Amino acid sequence: FFLSLKLENKTKGKLQKQICQVVLDHFEKQYTAELGDAWSSVRDVLTSPWCWQHALLLNRFSRCPGLESSLAEQGYHPAFPAALPYLPAAFRCFIRPAPGRFPAQKHQPGKLKEYYLLNAASLLPVLALEVKDGEDVLDLCAAPGGKSVAILQCACPGHFHCNEYDDLRSRWLEQTIESFIPDALINLVMVSKLDGRKIGDLQPESYDKVLVDAPCSNDRSWLFSADPQQAVLRLMQRKELSSLQFQLLRSAIKALRPGGSLVYSTCTLSKAENSDVINLILNSCRDVMPVDISELARGVSQEFTFLSGTQQHELLVLPEKGRAWGPMYVAKLKKRSST
């Protein structure tokens, strides 16, 4: 206990020093305008990493007999209620109200990991996508691979295409898949390094489900930019992200079969990268329509705090003390069937 307290205090001091004032000032201005009163409690969580929580997604391909009882002893409980519109039996995620992190497992070639540590809110896009066995699925911006792993906890796709344009992140993605997926299923998964903006033209109408977990201004990590110059550059480039996100979405829609569905997600609170991008797509692409995900949001409202006033096809998870999940924006669209 004293060791963990010492570690916590050490972490506190270390991370407190690293908050980047340039980014915080920028967020302060933008999010006070966009979130109103909700921003002050969100800011308190985002700037206090020692109060962040971590979830464990269990790997159905490498079950550890004593793990669930050990988690229960430490105050963990299942994150998602059985009453959700879509929750496959094999999909097992555990959380606890207390902050802190379960020990991570190291990558060992040839040995599958038993669990994946993650922000529980990052599983909501996967649950919204509702992948079924045999469907052809595209994860357009897949690194580091947590959502790809989560999809494979839900179902066995007929074909699963995981794409990551960035070379370094693509290697990270391959390692994640190797750590969680048995050899017998690896042939279902194709990892590519294509420009996501071009996949729709290269593979038109090829997929039943597409996940676009888009590159975004990651609020949690940007607040701790160690290099102020890099932070200033990031904030300048931030304006261009919504254009990239729109192009990725348009490509994803082309890659979807008629009747197929798509989930768009980011880990930012920024309206310009979230609802503005979705509204632009809905106004410019006549072959897509919004899909109501309010039942999913209602089902998990015990564990997550959502921004009020969003549309039925979208949700935004706001971090809160004791429910320090998010930020996570999720929106669902469907491609109209050919007539």
Side-chain angles (χ1 to χ4, degrees), residues 117-177:
L117 292 174
L118 76 178
N119 184 323
S122 66
L123 295 171
L124 294 176
V126 173
L127 294 176
L129 195 60
E130 299 190 23
V131 174
K132 312 275 194 309
D133 286 348
E135 289 182 325
D136 295 326
V137 181
L138 168 63
D139 188 349
L140 192 69
C141 315
K147 292 181 183 67
S148 300
V149 165
I151 286 169
L152 289 163
Q153 302 306 312
C154 294
C156 251
H159 172 63
F160 190 22
H161 182 178
C162 299
N163 181 68
E164 178 53 54
Y165 188 44
D166 181 87
D167 203 44
L168 191 66
R169 285 172 64 80
S170 181
R171 286 203 290 277
W172 189 3
L173 169 66
E174 284 177 344
Q175 191 179 84
T176 301
I177 289 168

Side-chain angles (χ1 to χ4, degrees), residues 216-233:
C216 67
S217 46
N218 183 326
D219 296 349
R220 281 190 185 228
S221 66
W222 280 27
L223 270 169
F224 297 93
S225 304
D227 178 357
Q229 284 178 309
Q230 184 198 35
V232 171
L233 188 63

Side-chain angles (χ1 to χ4, degrees), residues 58 70 136 186 200 215 273 276 279 288 291 323 325:
L58 303 197
S70 167
D136 295 326
I186 287 286
E273 298 175 51
D276 287 358
N279 289 338
V288 289
V291 177
R323 304 203 278 188
W325 313 113

Side-chain angles (χ1 to χ4, degrees), residues 267-282:
C267 52
T268 180
L269 298 160
S270 176
K271 186 172 170 285
E273 298 175 51
N274 294 339
S275 50
D276 287 358
V277 173
I278 291 295
N279 289 338
L280 190 57
I281 277 287
L282 287 169

Side-chain angles (χ1 to χ4, degrees), residues 65-298:
L67 182 58
E68 289 190 34
S69 54
S70 167
L71 288 171
E73 282 166 21
Q74 294 180 53
Y76 284 86
H77 63 271
F80 300 104
L84 287 186
Y86 171 85
L87 190 75
F91 188 87
R92 308 277 287 152
C93 175
F94 287 81
I95 60 175
R96 65 174 180 180
R101 190 180 178 127
F102 207 71
Q105 291 182 314
K106 286 197 167 68
H107 172 71
Q108 293 176 43
K111 189 174 189 298
L112 294 182
K113 291 185 181 182
E114 288 149 7
Y115 55 85
Y116 192 100
L117 292 174
L118 76 178
N119 184 323
S122 66
L123 295 171
L124 294 176
V126 173
L127 294 176
L129 195 60
E130 299 190 23
V131 174
K132 312 275 194 309
D133 286 348
E135 289 182 325
D136 295 326
V137 181
L138 168 63
D139 188 349
L140 192 69
C141 315
K147 292 181 183 67
S148 300
V149 165
I151 286 169
L152 289 163
Q153 302 306 312
C154 294
C156 251
H159 172 63
F160 190 22
H161 182 178
C162 299
N163 181 68
E164 178 53 54
Y165 188 44
D166 181 87
D167 203 44
L168 191 66
R169 285 172 64 80
S170 181
R171 286 203 290 277
W172 189 3
L173 169 66
E174 284 177 344
Q175 191 179 84
T176 301
I177 289 168
E178 187 188 315
S179 291
F180 285 90
I181 310 306
D183 290 344
L185 287 181
I186 287 286
N187 60 353
L188 287 181
V189 184
M190 180 182 92
V191 177
S192 67
K193 289 191 279 192
L194 300 166
D195 183 339
R197 294 169 293 186
K198 295 177 180 167
I199 283 182
D201 291 324
L202 294 169
Q203 300 177 346
E205 299 191 354
S206 300
Y207 300 96
D208 302 298
K209 302 277 165 75
V210 179
L211 176 63
V212 184
D213 186 43
C216 67
S217 46
N218 183 326
D219 296 349
R220 281 190 185 228
S221 66
W222 280 27
L223 270 169
F224 297 93
S225 304
D227 178 357
Q229 284 178 309
Q230 184 198 35
V232 171
L233 188 63
R234 273 177 168 173
L235 292 172
M236 284 164 63
Q237 291 169 336
R238 194 177 199 206
K239 297 183 185 79
E240 297 157 26
L241 278 168
S242 56
S243 168
L244 169 64
Q245 290 154 348
F246 176 78
Q247 290 171 61
L248 288 168
L249 261 178
R250 213 167 43 180
S251 171
I253 290 162
K254 285 181 186 174
L256 259 188
R257 292 183 179 130
S261 51
L262 172 155
V263 167
Y264 172 77
S265 61
T266 73
C267 52
T268 180
L269 298 160
S270 176
K271 186 172 170 285
E273 298 175 51
N274 294 339
S275 50
D276 287 358
V277 173
I278 291 295
N279 289 338
L280 190 57
I281 277 287
L282 287 169
N283 291 331
S284 60
C285 296
R286 289 188 182 160
D287 57 347
V288 289
M289 55 197 236
V291 177
D292 187 347
I293 55 170
S294 57
E295 202 185 331
L296 168 63
R298 274 194 303 275

Side-chain angles (χ1 to χ4, degrees), residues 293-311:
I293 55 170
S294 57
E295 202 185 331
L296 168 63
R298 274 194 303 275
V300 297
S301 59
Q302 291 293 100
E303 305 287 9
F304 298 96
T305 302
F306 296 106
L307 179 69
S308 58
T310 55
Q311 304 285 307

